[in-house]
């Protein structure tokens, strides 16, 4: 996110960030799948995705186009952090539409961290952490994924 007018005023930067988030949240409601997908990618890259978790969850479960699901999930997994992985696992656990569930599964299975070595270890640590998540659906998905690492 760029700094307005090149200034170093933290207040102005914060206002700009909030305005961008508000725009992306609005775009998440667009009738265009491409606009919703782009909003998902941008929101997934936000520093604190917890503040937009409900919007991301809705985009991950987009009822109209699995392209939105795919792009949002890929962006969340690309973060390589616990909140991103948790968001995708939470959506996969409750996906009722088969196409959406399959797309989330494909994104999770396609995460490059499934490879061996340090990346696989990183993913295993995150999954182990999520086996203690307060959400039972996230715990179940994390346990399922962890069993595939063995």
């Amino acid at each position: 996110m760029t700094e307005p007018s090149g200034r170093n005023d933290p207040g102005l930067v914060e206002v700009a960030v909030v305005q961008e988030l508000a725009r992306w949240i609005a775009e998440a409601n667009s009738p265009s799948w491409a606009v919703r997908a782009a909003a998902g990618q941008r929101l997934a890259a936000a520093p604190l995705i917890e503040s937009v978790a409900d919007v991301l969850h809705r985009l991950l479960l987009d009822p109209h186009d699995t392209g939105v699901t795919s792009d949002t999930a890929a962006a969340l997994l690309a973060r390589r952090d616990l909140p991103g992985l948790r968001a995708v696992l939470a959506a996969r656990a409750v996906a009722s539409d088969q196409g959406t569930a399959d797309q989330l599964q494909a994104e999770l299975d396609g995460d490059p961290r499934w490879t061996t070595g340090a990346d696989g270890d990183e993913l295993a640590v995150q999954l182990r952490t999520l086996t203690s998540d307060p959400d039972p659906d996230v715990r179940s998905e994390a346990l399922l994924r962890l069993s595939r690492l063995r």
Side-chain angles (χ1 to χ4, degrees), residues 61 87-95 100-102 104-105 108 141 145:
L61 299 174
V88 178
L89 292 178
R92 174 61 186 93
V94 299
T100 300
D102 289 347
L104 288 165
Q105 180 76 33
L108 285 161
E141 284 294 318
R145 307 258 162 234

Side-chain angles (χ1 to χ4, degrees), residues 79-91:
R79 293 172 60 97
R80 300 176 62 116
D81 65 3
L82 199 59
L85 177 60
R86 185 190 187 284
V88 178
L89 292 178

